[in-house]
Structure formats: structure tokens, C-alpha cells
Amino acid sequence: MSPAAKITRPPVSALQQPNEAERLEVLRNYQILDTPPEKAFDDLVRLAAYICGTSVSLVSLIDAERQWFKANVGLTQYQETHRDAAFCQYAMLSNDVFEVADATQDPLFRQNPMVIADPNIRFYAGAALISPEGMPLGTICALDTEPRTLTEQQRDALRILAREVVAHLELRRARLQLEMEQQKLEGLLRMANNAAESMFVGSRNEIFVKQDHKLVRVHTEDIRYVEALGDYVNIYTSRERYTVYSTMKELEAKLPAREFARIHRKYIVCLDRITAIEGDTIAVDTGRGTDRQANPTTVPIGNSYKAALLNRLNLI
């Protein structure tokens, strides 16, 4: 037998068969099948091709009836093949680098459709991707259209690259799990906030506003009206004016809905402080307690808000 035809792999009968259902469950838990290319995996197959001196290199994952390529150099016309045509289904079960020097001389592969027709594979070497659970997922492999054999240094490099692929799979899985946990936490926080809001809506009696690098407590019963001013709003109480970075929508959501009304795109008023309505304007008392101002503040009513406002007033 010529050096090119020498088989440097263990016989198939010596390969250990895992529990296929369990293996597939581990593979699918990575949530990687049919995902777009990722640079980390692309870089590893490029490195494998450089090291092995081959025209093709793949990260191949073995699904139930197919092999699917997560990363692909030199065989880009294929995204997957049927599992029956996969050299990798044997290589992933090997305890070491699985090497076929010349597929046309190998009884197991000489009738393989990938050998007798395009892409005319002759050489194959693959190192198994073994999960931390001990399950084979697929391989990182190098292929060529010419017979060849690897040096021991090349085989060792392929083993190292296989461990790197698994490390990236684990990092990717950990990131996805972290994102899922974060989404769950955010969902729980939203539920808690919504529940709290539903419990306290209508009974909120204070807000905190940031003024001069400190938070100031403002009782909503002391707010007379709110005025929008660009990216800011002015909150007028009986004693102070507070200017805060906010929107009318955000502030409206924080005020007791039963006590305040949006009367204009730029104004929110306390219903209890309306002293008169004349045409398209409202007079708002800004005094303290029962002390009514002689000259109350006048604010406009927006046409789209007027009907809703009148419906909330006790008209005779």
C-alpha cells in the first residue's frame, strides 16, 4: 500500500456509539444549528486549512439526518449534506484524529457520493468536537482533492483546534443562557412594576424631582399645573417652580389620574385648582390652601382636549 493510501485511523468497529437521542439533545441545546456564520468559527476553519495545507476546512455538526456546516472554507457551495455522505459522522466517534489518506482506496468511502462526484474528496482528517457531557457533536476537519497524510504536528494542531471550537460553543451557549435569564428577570421586573402600579394607581401622592444634584420630594396635592418647555417641563406648586428633564407623557403617568388632566399638548392642570373656564382658556389658582389669588394664572385649552375636560367637570 502506498503512503497516500495508508489508513491512520482506528477501525470503525472500535468506535464507541453514544446514545443518539441524548447526543442530539445536547447538540440542540447549543441552539447553533442553522444560525448565520460567526467570525470566531470562521477563523478556526481558516486556521485549520492553513495548518493542514488543504483547500477545504469545515466545522461540521451532525444532526439526526444531516451534517450542517457552521463554518466553511473551500466548500461554500454546500451548507449541509445528508448524513450518509458525511465522513464526519465517523470521525466524531473516534478517540483521536480520524484520517483518510485516499478515499478512493478506502472501502468505507470509495463509493461515497462526495468522492465519486463533485467535490471529489480524496483526503480527509477530522478531530471530534466533544461536549463537556462527553457527547460528540461533530468535527473540525480538513479535506482536499489530492491524497495526502498529516504530520504529527498537524494532527496535534487539529486536536487543539477542536478544543477551541468546543470552548467557543460553550461561551456562546453561556451567553445565550445569560441573555435568556436577563430577559426573564426583565419580564419579572416588568410584571412587578405593573402590579405595583395597578395597586397604587390613583393613590400616588408624591413624586421626586432632581434639583441641583439632589432629589426633592414633591407632594402631588401641592402641584397646581405642569408646563412643557422643549425637552424639559416646569412643575408649578404653591411655593416653587421645579424644572426637570422629562416629557409630558412620562410625567402624566406619574400623577394621580383622578386629580390631574391633560388640557393641552403643553399643559397638565390639577382639576381642583381650576377656578374658571372662558373660551379656550382656563384660570388656574396657584395660591396656598384656601387663599385664592386675585390674578390666577391663565393657560390655554387644546381643541382636542376640551371635550374630555368638560366631561370630567361637575357641570350644571
Side-chain angles (χ1 to χ4, degrees):
M1 182 179 292
S2 68
K6 182 181 178 182
I7 299 174
T8 59
R9 57 179 171 80
V12 175
S13 59
L15 305 181
Q16 183 179 2
Q17 296 288 337
N19 180 300
E20 182 65 0
E22 187 177 352
R23 187 192 73 80
L24 289 172
E25 182 179 1
V26 170
L27 172 63
R28 290 165 185 171
N29 280 342
Y30 282 94
Q31 300 180 57
I32 195 167
L33 294 173
D34 300 308
T35 58
E38 296 176 47
K39 188 175 186 300
F41 298 101
D42 292 343
D43 287 347
L44 291 174
V45 293
R46 288 173 59 200
L47 191 56
Y50 295 153
I51 291 170
C52 297
T54 59
S55 58
V56 177
S57 182
L58 309 164
V59 167
S60 175
L61 300 172
I62 304 300
D63 201 358
E65 296 183 353
R66 60 173 178 156
Q67 67 170 342
W68 176 77
F69 304 136
K70 175 58 182 175
N72 185 332
V73 166
L75 205 64
T76 53
Q77 68 270 38
Y78 295 93
Q79 293 182 330
E80 61 182 58
T81 72
H82 197 278
R83 183 169 173 173
D84 289 345
F87 286 61
C88 295
Q89 70 171 325
Y90 300 100
M92 73 173 183
L93 302 177
S94 176
N95 293 327
D96 202 354
V97 175
F98 185 92
E99 190 171 343
V100 179
D102 185 349
T104 63
Q105 303 299 313
D106 191 301
L108 190 60
F109 300 108
R110 60 191 176 196
Q111 296 302 316
N112 187 293
M114 306 286 283
V115 174
I116 61 177
D118 185 72
N120 300 300
I121 294 171
R122 295 296 177 264
F123 169 76
Y124 174 91
L129 309 176
I130 305 298
S131 76
E133 300 91 344
M135 287 295 168
L137 308 171
T139 73
I140 182 169
C141 60
L143 304 90
D144 212 343
T145 56
E146 298 291 335
R148 66 173 65 238
T149 58
L150 297 182
T151 66
E152 185 51 42
Q153 290 80 8
Q154 289 171 319
R155 294 188 191 101
D156 191 44
L158 209 53
R159 297 181 193 108
I160 293 169
L161 291 174
R163 293 194 293 271
E164 284 298 306
V165 171
V166 174
H168 281 291
L169 287 173
E170 285 296 305
L171 284 171
R172 187 181 183 280
R173 176 161 66 173
R175 186 182 72 249
L176 289 174
Q177 288 174 342
L178 182 61
E179 289 172 356
M180 289 176 62
E181 291 302 317
Q182 187 173 358
Q183 289 172 4
K184 289 179 183 178
L185 179 59
E186 289 173 354
L188 289 172
L189 288 174
R190 281 195 299 270
M191 289 174 61
N193 288 337
N194 290 341
E197 240 181 83
S198 66
M199 289 173 61
F200 295 108
V201 66
S203 64
R204 285 171 284 181
N205 58 13
E206 62 186 24
I207 59 175
F208 283 83
V209 297
K210 188 175 182 181
Q211 299 290 295
D212 298 326
H213 307 290
K214 64 181 179 181
L215 292 175
V216 178
R217 185 196 304 267
V218 177
H219 290 279
T220 55
E221 66 182 14
D222 198 31
I223 297 174
R224 279 25 182 178
Y225 70 100
V226 179
E227 176 187 36
L229 187 66
D231 293 332
Y232 294 83
V233 296
N234 287 327
I235 301 172
Y236 291 88
T237 70
S238 59
R239 293 174 294 275
E240 302 284 346
R241 183 193 72 185
Y242 300 100
T243 301
V244 297
Y245 182 77
S246 182
T247 66
M248 293 293 274
K249 184 176 180 181
E250 289 172 349
L251 194 57
E252 187 177 18
K254 296 180 185 298
L255 295 173
R258 289 183 297 183
E259 299 171 22
F260 288 83
R262 183 84 169 264
I263 65 162
H264 191 278
R265 63 183 180 83
K266 294 181 61 177
Y267 291 96
I268 297 171
V269 298
C270 175
L271 294 173
D272 187 49
R273 289 290 163 171
I274 298 175
T275 61
I277 299 176
E278 183 176 356
D280 292 330
T281 62
I282 286 179
V284 180
D285 165 51
T286 56
R288 301 182 59 181
T290 59
D291 178 23
R292 302 291 178 176
Q293 289 184 329
N295 297 305
T297 299
T298 300
V299 296
I301 308 173
N303 289 334
S304 59
Y305 296 91
K306 191 169 185 179
L309 173 64
L310 294 176
N311 283 337
R312 295 185 62 181
L313 299 178
N314 191 16
L315 300 177
I316 296 177

